[in-house]
Amino acid sequence: MADEEGFVDISEEKDGGLLKKILVEGQGDESPPPGSEVHVHYVGTLQADGSKFDSSRDRGQKFQFQVGVGQVIRGWDVGICTMKRGEKAILRATSDYGYGDRGSPPKIPGGATLDFEVELFTWKERTKEPDVMSVEERSEFATKQKESGNDSFKQQQWDAAIEAYEEGIRYITHGQGDDDGGHGHSHGGNPCSGHHGGGDDEVAPLGDEDKKLAVALLTNCAMAKIKVKDFDSAKFDCSRALELDPKSVKALFRRGTAKLELGEHDAAAEDAALILEVEPENKDAETLRKKAELEKKRAKQKEKAMCSKMFG
């Protein structure tokens, strides 16, 4: 069932109880499976008169919950599981998919049909911890996190991209003997202690393909962190990537970029020089080297000027 306003019937019974109208198409082909933790913005209005009864946007904070497990109304559990990352849609829910005959006084009367403008930003599937996965399972999960991070990056959703990349890094590098060097990370916004359960069984070194995946996750994460000006953490991620592939041009360039932003001019120039050893014609590396030298010169001139003012 569909109506003249561009809505499509997505109700389980195909009786018009839940309609959907896409306002902005999403990215990719995946939708959140039941049990996923989703992050959305929404505005809820009464379909009868358009009056607003709730809005996460007014509160200035995304709403997050587990979809498909009964934490929210049925219309959301069904409707959001049909959405793609970045999609914005109107979910029109009759009372069977909303708050029933009793409603939710005082703002939602019994039997009301509701319109929810929902934007789906990202989701995180419930999955096993890396210590109870096989090597193949960790690699598959990390690959999915890389793809998720790339989708978020394309939409300039930097925080979501970083979260996806970091989760992929955690899984693909599990048991490799590297810690986070004092750089804390989090899962779902909660600080992580660094202990993820499981025993102390040795894990085999990464194979060539998994090394490439780890390097891609680390360098992509570094780029996203540069976008949010977290230069110190970006530098750290690139250094981890270079432990796996000492000649990674992306890791060297992004580390050099982070160092330059941190005022580490000589170190930035050194990374540029390392790139030029591998790729002598790399114009970006040459630009980075020259910029590092120029910024170093400017910093010295500024320091000299300050000293002149202090000591006349």
Side-chain angles (χ1 to χ4, degrees):
M1 176 182 174
D3 69 10
E4 68 281 1
E5 297 179 76
F7 284 89
V8 175
D9 186 357
I10 60 170
S11 62
E12 293 173 315
E13 298 84 0
K14 296 301 176 186
D15 61 358
L18 181 64
L19 305 178
K20 175 184 172 183
K21 179 179 181 180
I22 296 176
L23 303 177
V24 178
E25 294 284 349
Q27 303 290 324
D29 298 320
E30 294 186 348
S31 297
S36 302
E37 182 184 88
V38 298
H39 296 242
V40 303
H41 261 318
Y42 68 92
V43 178
T45 57
L46 299 180
Q47 195 267 332
D49 62 9
S51 59
K52 182 168 59 177
F53 57 82
D54 193 14
S55 172
S56 65
R57 294 188 185 278
D58 289 350
R59 293 190 292 274
Q61 185 173 6
K62 294 186 185 78
F63 181 50
Q64 60 188 68
F65 63 96
Q66 276 184 264
V67 71
V69 296
Q71 289 187 357
V72 291
I73 61 172
R74 185 182 174 201
W76 276 38
D77 273 343
V78 174
I80 290 175
C81 285
T82 71
M83 297 178 70
K84 307 294 190 292
R85 183 175 285 102
E87 180 179 319
K88 183 186 286 187
I90 296 175
L91 300 177
R92 177 167 290 172
T94 63
S95 58
D96 288 340
Y97 278 82
Y99 291 91
D101 293 335
R102 298 182 63 180
S104 182
K107 293 186 176 181
I108 302 175
T113 295
L114 309 174
D115 281 347
F116 292 96
E117 183 187 275
V118 180
E119 183 174 3
L120 175 61
F121 290 91
T122 188
W123 68 85
K124 184 174 169 184
E125 294 181 35
R126 298 185 72 184
T127 189
K128 297 184 290 186
E129 284 295 310
D131 59 326
V132 293
M133 282 186 173
S134 66
V135 172
E136 292 76 16
E137 287 174 325
R138 288 196 293 269
S139 180
E140 181 180 356
F141 179 75
T143 298
K144 287 183 178 180
Q145 292 302 110
K146 174 174 162 271
E147 292 168 353
S148 175
N150 289 349
D151 286 342
S152 294
F153 192 97
K154 288 174 185 175
Q155 298 176 64
Q156 299 184 14
Q157 296 174 358
W158 313 126
D159 290 341
I162 290 167
E163 182 178 350
Y165 292 141
E166 285 189 334
E167 193 73 343
I169 292 165
R170 183 166 79 91
Y171 274 72
I172 199 63
T173 62
H174 172 74
Q176 296 305 309
D178 55 356
D179 56 35
D180 60 343
H183 292 251
H185 60 287
S186 64
H187 309 301
N190 296 315
C192 176
S193 65
H195 302 287
H196 300 102
D200 296 322
D201 297 337
E202 286 190 14
V203 177
L206 292 177
D208 289 343
E209 290 305 310
D210 282 347
K211 272 188 181 181
K212 290 178 183 177
L213 176 57
V215 169
L217 281 160
L218 286 160
T219 54
N220 288 2
C221 195
M223 190 68 245
K225 288 176 177 177
I226 288 171
K227 292 290 186 181
V228 298
K229 302 187 184 304
D230 185 2
F231 303 117
D232 193 55
S233 187
K235 181 177 76 168
F236 175 74
D237 283 347
C238 290
S239 293
R240 290 182 69 189
L242 288 164
E243 290 175 6
L244 297 169
D245 180 4
K247 293 186 178 181
S248 169
V249 170
K250 282 186 178 180
L252 286 167
F253 184 78
R254 291 171 187 176
R255 187 175 71 174
T257 300
K259 287 176 176 178
L260 182 61
E261 294 291 345
L262 291 167
E264 300 172 9
H265 306 121
D266 288 337
E270 287 173 8
D271 279 344
L274 289 171
I275 296 171
L276 292 168
E277 287 179 11
V278 179
E279 297 182 359
E281 304 301 319
N282 191 304
K283 293 181 179 179
D284 288 336
E286 182 61 27
T287 299
L288 176 63
R289 184 188 66 79
K290 289 179 178 178
K291 191 172 181 180
E293 291 176 353
L294 179 61
E295 291 298 322
K296 180 181 178 181
K297 183 177 180 181
R298 286 176 176 170
K300 285 185 175 180
Q301 289 174 340
K302 186 176 180 180
E303 183 181 359
K304 185 177 180 181
M306 289 179 64
C307 288
S308 297
K309 288 182 180 179
M310 288 176 64
F311 301 107

